[in-house]
Amino acid sequence: MHIVLDDTAMTAAGQGNVLASRLIHRAHAEAGWFLYAPACALVEADRARPGTAEHLASLPGITVIDLDLPAALAVAGQQTWAAAHSQHAAQPTADRPDGAIIATTAPNRWAGEPVRILDLTP
């Protein structure tokens, strides 16, 4: 299971969202569960709730995805960096041929986008 945390999911995790906490626990404790934090979304989450980026980046079950050239080009064509980097990170790759699911507490943000979402709204 490959899951990309968008900025809303990261902020929710820092505020004690039970569903986000379960994802983090599974990624740390269970084989086959992978959580990704796109760098641009991490920055936005930290702006909304200071300390979020440092906390999430220190967790062993979360992989921070850097802003490489393909991601930067994807971000350049979108309205927000956080959403664009999250969407880019969820696209299929050699390691994730089926892509990844985007975990979010703002599912309406993703309406009409070619991504699968996991609603973390309690």
Side-chain angles (χ1 to χ4, degrees):
M1 180 69 60
H2 296 274
I3 300 173
V4 173
L5 299 171
D6 76 358
D7 56 308
T8 67
M10 292 179 203
T11 303
Q15 294 173 326
N17 180 293
V18 174
L19 299 173
S21 295
R22 286 181 186 164
L23 286 177
I24 293 167
H25 173 73
R26 283 196 166 170
H28 176 68
E30 295 183 30
W33 281 79
F34 303 94
L35 280 184
Y36 304 97
C40 293
L42 200 57
V43 168
E44 247 350 274
D46 201 69
R47 285 181 179 165
R49 188 169 193 279
T52 300
E54 186 175 354
H55 174 71
L56 288 176
S58 71
L59 296 174
I62 296 180
T63 302
V64 176
I65 299 177
D66 294 331
L67 185 65
D68 58 6
L69 179 58
L73 295 174
V75 165
Q78 297 292 328
Q79 188 173 13
T80 69
W81 287 35
H85 199 189
S86 297
Q87 184 173 345
H88 176 76
Q91 298 306 306
T93 65
D95 295 339
R96 299 182 308 272
D98 293 328
I101 299 166
I102 296 179
T104 185
T105 61
N108 292 337
R109 167 196 277 182
W110 300 104
E113 297 295 337
V115 295
R116 297 174 292 158
I117 64 161
L118 175 61
D119 187 354
L120 300 182
T121 306

